[in-house]
Amino acid sequence: MTTGRHTAIDLDPSLDDHQLAAALVREAGQLALLMRMGGLQAQRKTSVSDVVTAADHAAEAYVLEQLRRCRPEDGILGEEGTAVAGTSGRTWVIDPVDGTYNFLHGSTYWCSALALKADDAGTATGGAAATAADPAVLLGAIYQPELDKLWLGGEQHPATLNGERIAGPSEIPLAELCAATYIHPTWLADPRSAMPWHAAAVSAASLRMFGSGSCDLGRIADGELGCWFQHSCPEWDWLPGKAIVRAAGGDTGVVRVNGLDWFIAGGPTAVRELRAALTSVPQFA
């Protein structure tokens, strides 16, 4: 597959799932970066900060092409519209460029991310019951091209950063941690979301809002950030990081408050305390 100055390679179907995931996010991320260097324009999706570029589409098309070659029986779901039904009971979930606003404006804080999930409602990673909002995930891969950081982990693979095993989230209380989060400004005008977000935010020692959930979750797994919370995450923003955080020995969860699902990750103590903070607010009928 040739796009501009970059020829993305065909991958070997004999690679195991973790090797394949790592190669896919690395190639997709490098493809997107080279396309950005050649100049890009964006199209608005739902808001001025929710945009898509030709690089998003090209990177997703590359991953789709390789998965159909290398894993023809698996399903595929992509942020930019890919939907392929499979027969294996497994689905690959693609986020070709997570943090597109950052990507378009020259920030390094964006990545390509990928997860492999189980289609049935069996058992989620770590023994928690799988739900529609929080399905079972087998592995995750996240690649931040401009920093050359590759996080990888899953049920059958310890969490690693560039091939080195990572220690995992700290067991420090929430009040002593830096929490990464994201909430669109319009949601701050809605008490259904603003009240639980505020309750969680004021429970942490400090906040960071960088604009790429998968980059955040990689840093939760390796301990650079303390914990993470965000509402209404689609699978491609949640599952790659969830798999890696759990493979690193961390905890994850989803809690429903006032009709919104809140996604949380960190050490077990932080996750428990985030859950308590989010659910401490008045419940609307």
Side-chain angles (χ1 to χ4, degrees):
M1 178 179 184
T2 301
T3 305
R5 294 174 293 170
H6 182 66
T7 301
I9 64 172
D10 283 337
L11 301 177
D12 184 349
S14 69
L15 294 172
D16 68 31
D17 289 334
H18 292 86
Q19 292 169 330
L20 179 61
L24 285 168
V25 293
R26 187 178 290 278
E27 284 292 313
Q30 290 174 342
L31 170 61
L33 178 58
L34 286 169
M35 289 184 69
R36 187 183 74 178
M37 293 168 61
L40 287 172
Q41 292 185 330
Q43 294 178 328
R44 179 168 167 169
K45 292 164 76 173
T46 62
S47 70
V48 69
S49 61
D50 183 16
V51 293
V52 63
T53 71
D56 296 74
H57 291 298
E60 183 163 306
Y62 168 75
V63 176
L64 170 63
E65 177 185 315
Q66 296 305 309
L67 285 173
R68 297 194 78 167
R69 284 181 54 255
C70 296
R71 297 294 188 273
E73 297 180 353
D74 291 349
I76 309 169
L77 175 67
E79 179 181 12
E80 305 310 333
T82 295
V84 176
T87 59
S88 65
R90 313 185 325 162
T91 295
W92 295 85
V93 181
I94 309 166
D95 195 345
V97 177
D98 181 46
T100 301
Y101 185 89
N102 293 348
F103 170 76
L104 185 64
H105 290 82
S107 169
T108 64
Y109 207 83
W110 62 274
C111 65
S112 291
L114 187 69
L116 177 61
K117 69 169 185 171
D119 291 339
D120 59 48
T123 301
T125 308
T131 66
D134 194 21
V137 61
L138 306 175
L139 67 87
I142 298 167
Y143 181 58
Q144 192 173 349
E146 293 180 86
L147 299 185
D148 193 30
K149 288 192 170 190
L150 175 63
W151 293 270
L152 184 66
E155 287 188 339
Q156 305 299 323
H157 192 290
T160 59
L161 171 57
N162 292 345
E164 298 293 327
R165 194 160 182 168
I166 51 183
S170 168
E171 256 303 81
I172 297 172
L174 177 59
E176 300 175 24
L177 288 176
C178 173
T181 184
Y182 179 78
I183 187 167
H184 193 274
T186 57
W187 284 100
L188 290 172
D190 186 339
R192 294 178 306 149
S193 51
M195 291 176 68
W197 184 86
H198 181 268
V202 300
S203 299
S206 63
L207 295 177
R208 299 292 183 270
M209 194 179 298
F210 296 121
S212 169
S214 286
C215 286
D216 290 344
L217 287 164
R219 286 166 170 80
I220 301 302
D222 67 27
E224 184 177 329
L225 294 170
C227 60
W228 182 87
F229 65 100
Q230 183 175 327
H231 76 77
S232 306
C233 293
E235 291 184 358
W236 44 79
D237 284 340
W238 172 237
L239 294 182
K242 172 191 172 181
I244 297 166
V245 169
R246 297 198 71 94
D251 196 10
T252 64
V254 179
V255 58
R256 194 163 183 82
V257 183
N258 291 327
L260 297 174
D261 289 319
W262 289 85
F263 296 74
I264 50 182
T269 297
V271 167
R272 183 173 65 251
E273 292 176 347
L274 280 170
R275 185 185 300 270
L278 290 164
T279 56
S280 69
V281 303
Q283 303 296 298
F284 293 85

